[in-house]
Amino acid sequence: MTGSSGFRRTRPTAVGDWRERAECARFYAASPVWADRMWTFEDSAGEDPVDPVYRTMARRICGSCPVRLECLADATAGGVQYGLFGGFRRNQRRALGNMAESDGVTVYSRSGGELDARIHEFRDWLRAHPDALERVESEEHRLKQARRRAQRRRGMPDNRAFGQSTGDMPALFQ
């Protein structure tokens, strides 16, 4: 996903580039403001201040995108620091890149190799290892649940929609 915020990749796009087939391109072209709220805003610490509803919508769009792996490989190998690409945040992309590197795939520039070659090699690794995508997604879900449980134990709001803590919610919703 490319954004209008100015911090996006500046690599030129080739004719017939995968970005033209991306599901997010339709949404982004229609409304850059909504697309930025769904795919981009993320602070340098990797926190996600985006409304969870928008982020969930974006992940679902990415999940059904025909060029999801190309997007994910491009962002990971290209070192994109912010935003959601292929349905994954920066820390998740880094985990996938590290898995691939441990399998001998050159993903990061510190490992050498030209960017396009690294992108293609990583994309091919992702295609061959769909279980790695599932592991990273399930680990992220497990960590979120653990953070929510810890916040509840401390009596802090759990950052759900409307800013209500579970202690303030009626028993029907707990």
Side-chain angles (χ1 to χ4, degrees):
M1 169 60 204
T2 58
S4 63
S5 303
F7 58 82
R8 290 279 166 245
R9 252 183 313 260
T10 58
R11 283 185 51 220
T13 58
V15 175
D17 193 16
W18 64 263
R19 289 173 194 86
E20 296 172 1
R21 298 186 324 268
E23 288 288 319
C24 61
R26 289 186 295 139
F27 291 95
Y28 185 77
S31 175
V33 173
W34 284 103
D36 277 350
R37 294 186 77 180
M38 291 168 67
W39 281 284
T40 56
F41 296 115
E42 183 177 342
D43 69 19
S44 61
E47 297 300 319
D48 196 355
V50 166
D51 183 320
V53 173
Y54 295 125
R55 193 48 61 115
T56 300
M57 288 173 20
R59 283 193 174 113
R60 286 185 180 155
I61 291 167
C62 290
S64 66
C65 184
V67 292
R68 178 184 191 196
L69 297 181
E70 287 81 354
C71 179
L72 178 57
D74 192 16
T76 305
V80 177
Q81 294 294 314
Y82 302 99
L84 193 71
F85 290 84
F88 290 85
R89 291 174 50 192
R90 178 186 59 182
N91 59 338
Q92 295 171 306
R93 293 190 305 264
R94 189 176 300 137
L96 286 167
N98 290 341
M99 284 182 202
E101 289 235 333
S102 69
D103 277 354
V105 174
T106 303
V107 177
Y108 302 111
S109 62
R110 71 180 187 285
S111 304
E114 185 177 323
L115 179 59
D116 286 337
R118 290 186 284 121
I119 290 169
H120 291 293
E121 186 178 9
F122 183 45
R123 183 206 54 212
D124 293 344
W125 183 88
L126 290 168
R127 283 184 179 148
H129 297 86
D131 58 314
L133 298 170
E134 293 169 13
R135 272 194 317 233
V136 168
E137 287 176 322
S138 65
E139 178 64 14
E140 179 75 12
H141 180 72
R142 188 191 67 74
L143 290 172
K144 277 185 182 177
Q145 295 295 5
R147 282 192 297 266
R148 285 183 181 148
R149 283 192 298 274
Q151 286 176 335
R152 283 188 208 123
R153 283 193 299 269
R154 291 189 306 260
M156 296 175 64
D158 66 356
N159 295 329
R160 289 188 183 171
F162 308 112
Q164 293 179 333
S165 70
T166 54
D168 296 337
M169 296 176 76
L172 177 66
F173 298 110
Q174 292 184 1

